């Protein structure tokens, strides 16, 4: 049922990308070391595993006073010099900063555990070491990281009450909902992670088997994979975070093709302690990258403010700002909301009327773009993936459109698809796309999401409810919104048997629709 050749090709692409990113991070080392404030150390992690780390302390630290401690686990595939530029700034502002290479990568020992129990235990061992070997304050400890470091920081904070504040940047809260949403493998995202770890680290036998089962669509191992992922997801430990009262900052990107924003927003709603959610244009970690090179950066600025307030006690106002801060993909500036539910407070339903049948196994031309590249173009130049909606072949794509809008529509939050589906086979995959369609019929991608089913009775209809990936996008006056559904997208593994057909209908007693979240005017 899987597509190993496709997975192999995308794995190669991922490995190349990882090598380039790692090389860029290594380029930070000379300038950071020139400051003469970096100490490179070995720290004994869980089971004695050696973790390569670096330490920066505030200028003039002489042992007569204690400073708040920040622990930064590295990103997936990146070396321990990743955070040096930001660590130097944080140390200059009065923090002891310890950054360490997570186990299984680069010169650190052990094997890759994907934020498993050994990684959680490592974080606590690093804190122990810092308290014993630096002028750090046991009452004021924070953790932060980008991507892999973000996920480890959240899980570690749930297990270690000493961690008072966390900044999770481009991280995940639910690993399964990130790369297996809609019961569909996000193959390009998985391949990037796989390829990067093969180039820069040492996979454990368990991790290798998880990747192989993921690519092969091994349904007999599906529950095992889900259980494995839940153990490595902060949402599983949200009650512990809440009990600890940890102050949690979550910052992610709308177009993150590795950790989509939905699962982070859902996690945010379940937090009861001090919390803040920031969502910006971009792909995985692209919003944070300028800051890793020491450039001015909103994400890292707010990270510093977060720790300044919750670890230093500074009255900088971050706790009085609206806790949900969004930046639209279409406009400059931020919008503040009191909570996530207020983001798309208004809703418009676009009817998906009639009965439409499409054939499977052929890409209609509607797709979610290319991992990293497409969302980076959207972030930098506001050029999302495009498709000519009138020219999409109706044999392979179902299309519904709204009327023309007299005023601009500010889409904010999570669009929801509800329809009735009748398949000709017991398994299948569909991908739903929401497009902003201009006067000439050119559609710009607003959002998308995949959906896979197994074990259905051919010819018997069933309900499909699918959340598209959350976004913030402004549809200009005079444009339409279009929902397109097809069955093939390079971002995902599809499960459509040869010759399968999918029929979408809208029964009178259960009409089909797509619900669009809109910012209140």
């Amino acid at each position: 049922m899987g597509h190993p050749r496709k997975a192999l090709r995308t794995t190669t692409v991922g490995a190349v990308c990882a090598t380039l990113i790692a090389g860029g991070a290594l380029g930070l080392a000379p300038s950071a070391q020139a400051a003469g404030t970096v100490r490179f150390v070995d720290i004994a992690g869980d089971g004695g595993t050696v973790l390569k780390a670096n330490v920066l302390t505030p200028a003039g630290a002489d042992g007569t006073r204690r400073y708040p401690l920040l622990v930064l686990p590295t990103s997936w595939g990146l070396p321990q010099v990743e955070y040096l530029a930001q660590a130097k700034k944080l140390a200059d502002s009065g923090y002891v900063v310890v950054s360490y290479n997570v186990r299984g990568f680069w010169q650190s020992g052990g094997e890759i555990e994907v934020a498993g129990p050994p990684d959680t235990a490592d974080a606590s061992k690093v804190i122990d070491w810092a308290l014993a070997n630096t002028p750090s304050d046991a009452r004021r400890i924070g953790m932060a990281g980008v991507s892999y470091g973000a996920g480890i920081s959240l899980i570690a904070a749930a297990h270690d009450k000493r961690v008072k504040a966390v900044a999770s940047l481009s991280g995940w809260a639910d690993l399964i909902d990130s790369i297996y949403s809609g019961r569909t493998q996000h193959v390009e995202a998985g391949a990037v992670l796989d390829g990067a770890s093969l180039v820069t680290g040492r996979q454990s036998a368990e991790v290798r088997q998880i990747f192989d089962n993921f690519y092969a669509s091994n349904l007999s191992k599906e529950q095992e994979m889900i259980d494995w992922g839940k153990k490595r997801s902060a949402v599983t430990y949200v009650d512990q975070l809440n009990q600890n009262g940890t102050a949690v900052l979550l910052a992610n990107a709308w177009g993150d093709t590795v950790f989509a924003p939905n699962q982070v927003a859902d996690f945010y709603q379940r937090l009861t302690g001090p919390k803040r959610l920031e969502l910006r244009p971009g792909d995985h970690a692209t919003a944070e990258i300028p800051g890793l090179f020491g450039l001015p950066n909103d994400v890292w600025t707010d990270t510093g403010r977060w720790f300044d307030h919750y670890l230093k006690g500074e009255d900088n106002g971050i706790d009085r700002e609206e806790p949900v801060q969004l930046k639209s993909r279409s406009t400059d500036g931020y919008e503040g909301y009191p909570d996530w539910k207020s983001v798309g407070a208004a809703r418009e339903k676009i009817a998906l009327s009639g009965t439409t049948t499409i054939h499977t196994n052929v890409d209609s031309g509607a797709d979610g773009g290319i991992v990293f590249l497409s969302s980076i173009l959207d972030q930098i130049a506001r050029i999302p993936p495009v498709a000519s909606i009138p020219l999409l072949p109706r044999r392979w794509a179902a299309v519904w459109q709204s009327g023309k809008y007299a005023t601009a529509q500010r889409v904010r939050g999570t669009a929801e698809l509800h329809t009735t589906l009748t398949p000709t086979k017991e398994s299948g995959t569909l991908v739903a796309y929401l497009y902003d369609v201009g006067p000439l019929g050119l559609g710009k991608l607003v959002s998308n999401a995949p959906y896979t089913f197994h074990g259905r009775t051919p010819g018997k209809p069933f309900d499909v409810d699918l959340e598209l990936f959350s976004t913030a996008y402004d549809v200009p006056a005079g444009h339409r919104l279009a929902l397109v559904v097809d069955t093939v997208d390079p971002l995902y593994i599809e499960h459509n048997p040869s010759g399968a057909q999918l029929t979408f209908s809208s029964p009178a007693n259960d009409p089909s629709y797509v619900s669009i979240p809109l910012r209140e005017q």
Side-chain angles (χ1 to χ4, degrees):
M1 290 169 61
H3 296 269
R5 291 183 181 178
K6 181 193 293 183
L8 215 59
R9 288 196 300 270
T10 46
T11 297
T12 303
V13 172
V16 172
C17 290
T19 304
L20 292 174
I21 293 171
L26 283 168
L28 289 172
S31 60
Q33 289 182 11
T37 58
V38 183
R39 181 161 58 105
F40 291 91
V41 300
D42 290 350
I43 298 176
D46 186 49
T49 298
V50 174
L51 305 174
K52 296 293 183 177
N54 56 70
V55 184
L56 294 94
T57 55
D62 57 7
T64 61
R65 58 170 293 192
R66 295 284 170 177
Y67 301 89
L69 168 67
L70 293 179
V71 173
L72 312 179
T74 52
S75 301
W76 184 270
L78 294 192
Q80 60 161 308
V81 297
E82 175 187 4
Y83 300 117
L84 282 183
Q86 285 300 323
K88 177 65 166 59
K89 290 184 177 182
L90 290 164
D92 287 345
S93 67
Y95 292 93
V96 172
V97 185
V98 179
S99 174
Y100 71 97
N101 227 123
V102 293
R103 65 170 53 223
F105 284 102
W106 293 86
Q107 290 83 20
S108 284
E111 296 178 323
I112 298 167
E113 298 287 345
V114 193
D119 290 303
T120 303
D122 283 346
S124 291
K125 291 288 188 181
V126 172
I127 292 172
D128 293 342
W129 182 93
L131 294 176
N133 294 276
T134 70
S136 50
D137 187 342
R139 300 166 302 172
R140 298 182 292 167
I141 299 174
M143 290 190 67
V146 176
S147 184
Y148 194 38
I152 290 175
S153 294
L154 281 175
I155 297 171
H159 287 84
D160 194 325
K161 295 180 179 179
R162 295 176 297 179
V163 180
K164 303 303 181 185
V166 170
S168 171
L169 314 180
S170 287
W172 78 93
D174 188 329
L175 190 57
I176 295 300
D177 198 37
S178 295
I179 61 174
Y180 194 58
S181 72
R183 211 179 175 186
T184 308
Q185 298 96 323
H186 297 208
V187 66
E188 288 194 5
V192 165
L193 297 174
D194 187 10
S197 64
L198 290 172
V199 170
T200 63
R202 299 167 300 283
Q203 295 180 354
S204 68
E206 181 185 38
V207 169
R208 182 66 260 158
Q209 191 61 57
I210 289 291
F211 273 119
D212 290 344
N213 291 339
F214 177 83
Y215 295 136
S217 307
N218 188 345
L219 290 180
S220 69
K221 298 292 185 179
E222 182 183 38
Q223 190 58 50
E224 180 181 316
M225 181 182 72
I226 291 172
D227 293 342
W228 177 89
K230 292 300 182 185
K231 186 184 293 185
R232 291 158 169 80
S233 298
V235 69
T236 303
Y237 312 107
V238 67
D239 290 342
Q240 292 170 231
L241 275 170
N242 290 336
Q243 185 176 357
N244 294 346
T246 315
V248 178
L249 165 65
L250 304 168
N252 281 66
W254 294 119
D256 194 322
T257 45
V258 181
F259 303 133
N262 302 47
Q263 44 92 30
V264 175
D266 290 344
F267 176 70
Y268 171 83
Q269 294 184 89
R270 297 182 60 179
L271 292 169
T272 58
K275 59 183 180 177
R276 181 179 175 97
L277 174 65
E278 301 183 354
L279 290 167
R280 301 171 172 85
D283 205 308
H284 184 62
T286 61
E288 295 87 2
I289 285 176
L292 293 179
F293 287 89
L295 300 174
N297 182 260
D298 290 350
V299 187
W300 286 102
T301 296
D302 285 349
T303 295
R305 295 175 63 222
W306 189 254
F307 288 131
D308 286 348
H309 180 73
Y310 287 102
L311 297 183
K312 289 183 178 179
E314 291 186 5
D315 184 15
N316 55 19
I318 197 167
D319 58 318
R320 295 189 296 276
E321 296 171 1
E322 296 278 23
V324 176
Q325 294 287 322
L326 310 182
K327 188 175 183 180
S328 170
R329 293 161 50 200
S330 308
T331 58
D332 296 320
Y334 288 87
E335 303 168 356
Y337 298 85
D339 51 46
W340 177 249
K341 292 180 180 179
S342 301
V343 170
R347 288 252 168 199
E348 177 203 4
K349 284 187 177 181
I350 300 174
L352 310 179
S353 57
T355 299
T356 303
T357 297
I358 61 174
H359 296 251
T360 64
N361 309 117
V362 174
D363 191 340
S364 70
D367 63 57
I370 301 170
V371 65
F372 287 123
L373 178 61
S374 297
S375 291
I376 291 174
L377 282 174
D378 188 37
Q379 175 186 359
I380 296 173
R382 293 178 182 164
I383 304 176
V386 298
S388 175
I389 305 304
L391 296 181
L392 290 176
R394 280 4 184 214
R395 179 179 176 86
W396 295 295
V399 179
W400 298 268
Q401 295 192 72
S402 71
K404 289 184 179 179
Y405 292 108
T407 59
Q409 304 295 298
R410 294 181 289 181
V411 179
R412 299 288 187 276
T414 309
E416 299 171 355
L417 167 65
H418 173 76
T419 189
T420 298
L421 173 62
T422 305
T424 59
K425 304 290 184 179
E426 64 94 22
S427 293
T429 297
L430 62 89
V431 185
Y433 309 90
L434 187 66
Y435 282 101
D436 160 26
V437 185
L440 300 179
L442 184 67
K444 295 182 178 180
L445 187 66
V446 177
S447 185
N448 78 100
Y451 178 91
T452 292
F453 60 89
H454 296 289
R456 293 291 179 174
T457 303
K460 184 177 180 179
F462 63 92
D463 289 344
V464 171
D465 289 287
L466 175 63
E467 287 189 348
L468 276 64
F469 299 137
S470 304
T471 194
Y473 181 97
D474 296 356
V475 180
H479 286 214
R480 308 171 184 264
L481 281 171
L483 182 80
V484 176
V485 178
D486 73 1
T487 64
V488 176
D489 190 306
L491 289 173
Y492 314 111
I493 288 180
E494 50 95 2
H495 301 261
N496 296 296
S498 180
Q501 298 178 30
L502 303 178
T503 296
F504 302 92
S505 58
S506 183
N509 63 342
D510 186 20
S512 296
Y513 61 85
V514 59
S515 175
I516 309 298
L518 299 171
R519 184 183 181 190
E520 290 184 329
Q521 301 294 329

